Amino acid sequence: MAGLNLIQEYSSDTDDEAKNSNEENQTGFNVAKPSRLPLPESILSLKGVEHHTDVVDDPLKHQGRIRSFKHERGNWASLVYLDYDPSEEILQWMKNTVGEILKTGNLFEEFHVSLTRTLILKFHWIDSFVEAVKNIARNYPGFVMELNGIKVYCNDDKTRTFLGITVQSTNNSLGSLTGTLNKLLDEYQLPPFYEDALFHVSIWWCVGDHKQILETLLPKLTSNFHEFLTNHPEHHFVQVDSLKCKIGNKLYTFNLSEFKF
């Protein structure tokens, strides 16, 4: 309140000064002017910042990708997923075989299996949401994930096309885990995961809807991938022992409970 009072006092003195100046002009007499009260350094040093500035999406800054939803202050893009760390042999297969057959597009630099859609969390939801995901992980045993085949996907807006390695899990652990997360999402009135979801690791993408064209190349890609797994059976299965939750630029890792077959 002291700062506000100082501002009001400064404003009042300025008004008086203007009033006295008018009186001098009207009467011809000099009226003593009060000394101006200077603004304190603490106020003079304040710098304003832009408030509620719109963020303009520029696809050129991220390889032509188009934001699926408008950026709004207080909204945080979020995702719950499983990490997939491919072996050097699989990475080489991706670079050589996929790159050779498709000729264009982009390989992902990081790989994962999504368990939710990309969600929009309000800032005041974050703490409780993170705690809930942590509790889910704590009560879920680790499991084995099996790599199966190759499939083409397109996002909801038809702005990007993906190539992915399909996966399945022992005892339907992926479906069960997603079902539990869906119940949590319902508490926040957030959309559930896709009803007909096919769990997969996205490995390649391109801008636009090219699903129909890429599906003609699937037989060759699938045959090549199965041949790779036959020659490298040790890469056919992946152990899953943690759950990831990414909110904005924050990443949370929660260990699943003791691994079980």
Side-chain angles (χ1 to χ4, degrees):
M1 290 300 293
L4 290 176
N5 290 335
L6 286 171
I7 293 174
Q8 290 170 352
E9 189 172 346
Y10 175 81
S11 176
S12 175
D13 286 346
T14 303
D15 292 342
D16 289 342
E17 182 179 347
K19 180 180 178 182
N20 290 337
S21 177
N22 289 335
E23 289 177 357
E24 178 182 347
N25 292 336
Q26 292 174 2
T27 63
F29 294 99
N30 292 327
V31 179
K33 298 179 181 179
S35 59
R36 176 181 295 179
L37 181 66
L39 279 173
E41 288 295 326
S42 59
I43 293 180
L44 288 172
S45 63
L46 293 177
K47 295 182 180 179
V49 296
E50 293 185 3
H51 184 56
H52 294 307
T53 302
D54 288 335
V55 176
V56 179
D57 181 50
D58 184 358
L60 295 178
K61 293 181 178 179
H62 32 80
Q63 299 175 289
R65 288 173 290 181
I66 298 173
R67 181 183 287 275
S68 298
F69 50 86
K70 183 181 178 182
H71 176 88
E72 293 183 21
R73 190 180 298 272
N75 287 353
W76 296 74
S78 308
L79 181 71
V80 181
Y81 63 94
L82 304 174
D83 243 348
Y84 173 61
D85 186 17
S87 64
E88 285 298 322
E89 290 83 359
I90 291 183
L91 277 176
Q92 277 305 122
W93 177 84
M94 291 180 191
K95 293 174 182 177
N96 297 338
T97 305
V98 177
E100 165 116 11
I101 294 175
L102 299 181
K103 304 296 184 185
T104 186
N106 309 272
L107 282 175
F108 280 91
E109 296 180 359
E110 297 180 349
F111 306 91
H112 68 270
V113 178
S114 295
L115 298 178
T116 67
R117 301 173 188 248
T118 298
L119 308 167
I120 306 302
L121 284 184
K122 300 293 185 183
F123 177 77
H124 58 279
W125 293 348
I126 293 177
D127 287 346
S128 61
F129 186 85
V130 168
E131 188 63 30
V133 174
K134 179 180 179 181
N135 288 332
I136 289 173
R138 183 184 297 147
N139 291 290
Y140 251 86
F143 58 91
V144 170
M145 193 165 62
E146 180 183 2
L147 307 183
N148 284 331
I150 306 295
K151 192 172 177 62
V152 178
Y153 304 86
C154 205
N155 65 356
D156 292 337
D157 300 327
K158 308 298 182 186
T159 57
R160 282 204 291 166
T161 307
F162 304 86
L163 198 68
I165 299 175
T166 59
V167 299
Q168 66 182 36
S169 57
T170 53
N171 303 319
N172 192 34
S173 296
L174 284 170
S176 178
L177 189 52
T178 300
T180 302
L181 286 168
N182 280 344
K183 293 177 181 177
L184 170 63
L185 298 180
D186 187 57
E187 295 178 16
Y188 292 85
Q189 297 184 322
L190 293 170
F193 200 44
Y194 304 98
E195 187 174 347
D196 56 348
L198 285 175
F199 298 101
H200 64 278
V201 178
S202 292
I203 61 175
W204 175 96
W205 66 273
C206 66
V207 174
D209 182 359
H210 303 286
K211 186 175 181 180
Q212 189 172 357
I213 296 174
L214 289 175
E215 283 181 339
T216 64
L217 302 173
L218 269 185
K220 185 175 182 179
L221 285 164
T222 301
S223 174
N224 198 294
F225 184 62
H226 286 161
E227 182 180 349
F228 169 84
L229 290 179
T230 299
N231 295 330
H232 301 84
E234 68 276 16
H235 303 307
H236 200 167
F237 298 92
V238 179
Q239 178 178 323
V240 178
D241 53 18
S242 66
L243 194 62
K244 303 280 186 176
C245 179
K246 192 171 190 301
I247 301 177
N249 60 356
K250 300 270 187 170
L251 177 62
Y252 304 86
T253 301
F254 303 119
N255 292 331
L256 298 175
S257 63
E258 185 178 353
F259 178 77
K260 296 179 182 179
F261 286 96

